């Protein structure tokens, strides 16, 4: 229910919203120093062979076996197209999976992994060497996964181990000697050991043995259940880092996790005018920017605000950034006007020029009471809430630069989503308009700004589409209501700096191409952990129907006969609401802004509101509200009932009364617009889910798939380019004690005002009249609007009964 309230109260209005040893090959970066976590970094060319040599002796416990299967499967999934083989050793050695890039085959073969016997590691090393030699011109990476030193196989009495170390020292000496042979070849050895499973009397020897034979790292898997891989891929055009990162969407009792691909080379190309030059729009940098942004959402599974930014800290550490900082707003519980942001920096040399690359990500999710800021429009100037947030982040950036003594040329990598995107958009607008950063030089071509699903916070008439703002990438899903607010309607006219790059929709590119591109997107969405599937295409306009029988009238909800285009519906409801109910900024701020701030902070910062919406019940409440309205004043008990039905706690209905009056009045005038919103709440909300935007970007990124080229559909954010005319349909009710009506209000020229006459149990409906002429006797009347009209809905006593006094 919380998400639906988000749509109703803010979307229609403005914003729908390592422990290491010296031998380890791990990332040496203070951002990654987390207890019981290790990041295993390895260079991995596309033609490398990775061999997993698994100890399947009888000591391997079931839990360890499953952890081993999960680890290999995850490595296979995260390593891209690297060739992988799996071997086992017990009493002898065997190949479980021949060298392959088929990830499904690897999963299938590992499902049948069995255990038993002793640990003949030497046999496994010999077999691994043979397999590696068969793959000509390949470098081999060997992962040994074990829970004990060798206990059988070749023996060697003289070596670095003796009987004081272990009764099986002879097997250890032989395996050690053969490992030395492999070290002299092109094989990198890593040892992953379940050390705590080894008896205390043999644990020191086992650790020393595996540390001695490794060349690229020893890892105790019982201390590091979440061993994290970081791959460095050497490609002709770039050096690519690949790994996993956590992001701020809750999956069960943990944060979501998915794959990233990063390269410093993304920042070699300067930004500039790219709508006519696709080479300067880098799809891979766009995807990585959204990855960074999602890591900068407040972690939903951490209660301590001091560590809610840890996902971004870990990701930036993997990318080689240093001196991570979260601003003060990220370290405490959000307030109505706070903002969260994180920053880190790294040194780059490009064309013999030294730069500092500053990564700046703005919290775009998990910001609780900050919803109040989203509905703080202000009477004049840029959107007041977003403007204050942008100034706070700029102050944080200034302080970060000074504190870390950054000087000289910088490149700024800035990203935001939703509220964070609106904030980022205003920041770049100000920088492009001449705002300076302390003690550094930032050229506009060195500013890489990505605003994902951004609402509008700038003013349309303030040069927002000037060419100097072409270093801004606004990624916009037309089906996302957030991107359509703050409204661009008459008397509001909000916009964004820069032009918009639109994601594919049916109405823009046609059905056949849309479904082709959508299928590729869906394949990526399946790989991303998400709470929702893709349901946008299920949107249906809804219409109230009246089911009439001899004794009563019942309400039904059916599909409307309109074209079911979500984008068109969203534009219609937002523009109508803004023009009809909000009127202008001064009126909104004077009459509604304070109560909207209080309500947004109280409700949308509370994740426990989960009431279901009963649509038919709400229709009946609207009818009763209309019937009992006197002098434009709503019955307070009915208004409270409406609020509770929409999911507002009874204790908050008085707090929300002003907003409820707005919504109640609007839904009475436009019941089908309101019912369509309620019926499609999950669909409309799902369009703003970040995983969906990420899947679209990944489907166009060569690091994830073989993309089908898409001509970037870049447009000006100007709803006012085609001025629309709205007319009011005034309906007077005669015989009010025998019935009431729904409908009327403002309607777009040549559209239909959908009117409903609802007689009560004592009344009957006599017809709709205009200028004294009967135009319809139907209870449901679709009246075509071509000018402002005055209609009369006439009711009388049923069956000629006399009116009651």
């Amino acid at each position: 229910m919380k998400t639906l309230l988000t749509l109703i109260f803010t979307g229609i209005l403005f914003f729908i919203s390592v422990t290491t040893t010296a031998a380890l090959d791990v990332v040496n970066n203070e951002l990654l120093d987390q207890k019981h976590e290790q990041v295993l970094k390895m260079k991995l060319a596309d033609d490398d062979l990775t061999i997993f040599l698994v100890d399947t002796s009888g000591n391997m416990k079931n839990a360890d076996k499953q952890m081993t299967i999960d680890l290999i499967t995850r490595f296979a999934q995260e390593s891209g197209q690297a060739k992988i083989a799996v071997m086992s050793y017990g009493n002898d050695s065997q190949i479980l999976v021949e060298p392959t890039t088929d990830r499904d085959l690897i999963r299938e073969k590992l499902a049948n992994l069995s255990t038993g016997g002793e640990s003949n590691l030497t046999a496994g090393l010999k077999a691994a060497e043979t397999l590696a030699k068969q793959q000509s011109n390949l470098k081999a990476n060997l992962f040994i996964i074990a829970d004990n030193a060798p206990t059988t196989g070749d023996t060697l009495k003289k070596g670095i181990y003796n009987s004081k170390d272990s009764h099986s020292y002879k097997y250890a000496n032989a395996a050690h000697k053969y490992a030395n042979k492999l070290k002299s070849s092109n094989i990198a050895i890593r040892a992953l050991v379940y050390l705590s499973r080894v008896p205390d009397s043999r644990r020191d020897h086992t650790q020393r043995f595996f540390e001695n034979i490794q060349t690229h790292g020893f890892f105790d898997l019982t201390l590091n259940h979440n061993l994290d891989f970081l791959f460095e891929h050497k490609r002709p055009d770039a050096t690519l880092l690949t790994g996993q990162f956590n992001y701020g969407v809750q999956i069960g009792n943990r944060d979501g996790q998915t794959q990233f691909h990063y390269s410093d080379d993304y920042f070699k190309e300067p930004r500039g005018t790219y709508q006519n030059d696709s080479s300067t729009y880098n799809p891979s940098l766009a995807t990585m920017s959204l990855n960074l942004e999602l890591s900068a959402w407040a972690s939903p599974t951490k209660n301590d605000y001091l560590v809610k930014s840890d996902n971004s800290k870990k990701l930036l550490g993997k990318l080689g950034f240093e001196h991570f900082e979260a601003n003060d707003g990220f370290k405490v519980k959000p307030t109505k006007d706070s903002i969260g942001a994180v920053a880190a920096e790294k040194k780059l040399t490009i064309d013999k020029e030294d730069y500092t690359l500053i990564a700046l990500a703005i919290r775009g999710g998990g910001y609780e009471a900050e919803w109040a800021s989203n509905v703080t429009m202000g009477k004049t100037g840029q959107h007041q809430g977003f403007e204050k947030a942008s100034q706070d982040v700029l102050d944080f950036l200034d302080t970060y630069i000074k504190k870390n003594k950054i000087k000289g040329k910088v490149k700024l990598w800035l990203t935001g989503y939703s509220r964070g995107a609106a904030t980022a958009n205003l920041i770049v607008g100000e920088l492009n308009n001449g705002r300076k950063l302390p003690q550094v030089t930032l050229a506009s071509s060195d500013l890489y700004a990505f605003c994902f699903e951004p609402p509008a916070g700038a003013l349309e008439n303030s040069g927002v589409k000037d060419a100097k703002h072409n270093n801004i990438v606004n990624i916009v899903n037309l089906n996302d209501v957030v991107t359509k607010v703050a409204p661009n309607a008459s008397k509001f006219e909000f916009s964004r700096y820069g032009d918009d790059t639109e994601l594919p929709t049916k109405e823009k590119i046609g059905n056949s191409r849309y479904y082709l591109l959508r299928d590729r997107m869906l394949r990526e969405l399946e790989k991303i952990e998400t709470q929702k599937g893709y349901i946008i295409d299920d949107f249906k306009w809804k219409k109230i129907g009246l089911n009439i029988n001899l004794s009563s009238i019942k309400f039904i909800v059916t599909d409307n006969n309109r074209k079911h285009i979500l984008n068109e519906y969203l534009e219609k409801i937002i523009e109508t609401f803004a023009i009809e109910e909000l009127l202008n900024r001064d009126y909104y701020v004077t009459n509604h802004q304070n109560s909207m701030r209080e309500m947004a902070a109280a409700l949308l910062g509370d994740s426990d509101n989960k009431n279901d919406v009963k649509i038919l019940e709400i229709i009946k409440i609207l009818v009763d509200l209309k019937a009992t309205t006197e002098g434009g004043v709503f019955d307070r008990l009915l208004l409270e009932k409406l609020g509770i039905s929409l999911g507002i706690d009874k204790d908050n209905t008085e707090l929300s009364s002003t907003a409820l009056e707005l919504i109640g009045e609007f839904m009475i005038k436009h019941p089908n617009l309101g019912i369509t919103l309620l019926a499609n709440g999950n669909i409309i909300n799902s369009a703003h889910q970040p995983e969906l935007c990420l899947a679209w970007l990944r489907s166009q990124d060569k690091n994830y798939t073989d993309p089908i080229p898409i001509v970037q559909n870049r447009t000006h954010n100007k709803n006012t380019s085609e001025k629309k005319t709205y007319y009011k349909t005034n309906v007077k009710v005669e015989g009010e004690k025998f019935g009431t009506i729904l409908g009327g209000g403002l309607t777009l020229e040549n559209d239909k005002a959908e009117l409903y006459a609802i007689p009560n149990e004592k009344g009957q409906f006599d017809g709709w009249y205009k200028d004294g002429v009967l135009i319809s006797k139907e209870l449901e009347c679709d009246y075509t609007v071509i000018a402002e009209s005055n209609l009369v809905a006439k009711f009388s006593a049923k069956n000629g009964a006399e009116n009651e006094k």
Side-chain angles (χ1 to χ4, degrees), residues 541-554:
W541 277 85
K542 296 296 180 179
K543 182 179 177 66
I544 297 173
L546 302 179
N547 190 353
I548 306 170
N549 57 39
L550 293 176
S551 59
S552 64
I553 296 177
K554 294 184 178 180

Side-chain angles (χ1 to χ4, degrees), residues 603-668:
L603 296 179
L604 300 175
D606 174 15
S607 61
D608 296 327
N609 194 333
K610 301 183 185 300
N611 294 351
D612 293 327
V613 174
K614 298 178 176 61
I615 294 178
L616 294 180
E617 177 181 310
I618 288 175
I619 296 173
K620 293 177 182 177
I621 294 172
L622 293 174
V623 173
D624 291 341
L625 270 175
K626 176 64 176 176
T628 57
T629 299
E630 294 185 7
V633 178
F634 285 119
D635 181 279
R636 306 313 295 177
L637 291 178
L638 283 174
L639 201 64
E640 178 182 291
K641 189 176 180 181
L642 175 63
I644 293 172
S645 297
L646 290 172
I648 301 175
D649 293 335
K650 185 175 182 179
D651 294 340
N652 287 326
T653 52
E654 184 60 35
L655 177 71
S656 310
S657 61
T658 301
L660 282 172
E661 289 173 358
L662 279 175
I663 292 168
E665 183 176 331
F666 182 76
M667 292 184 69
I668 286 171

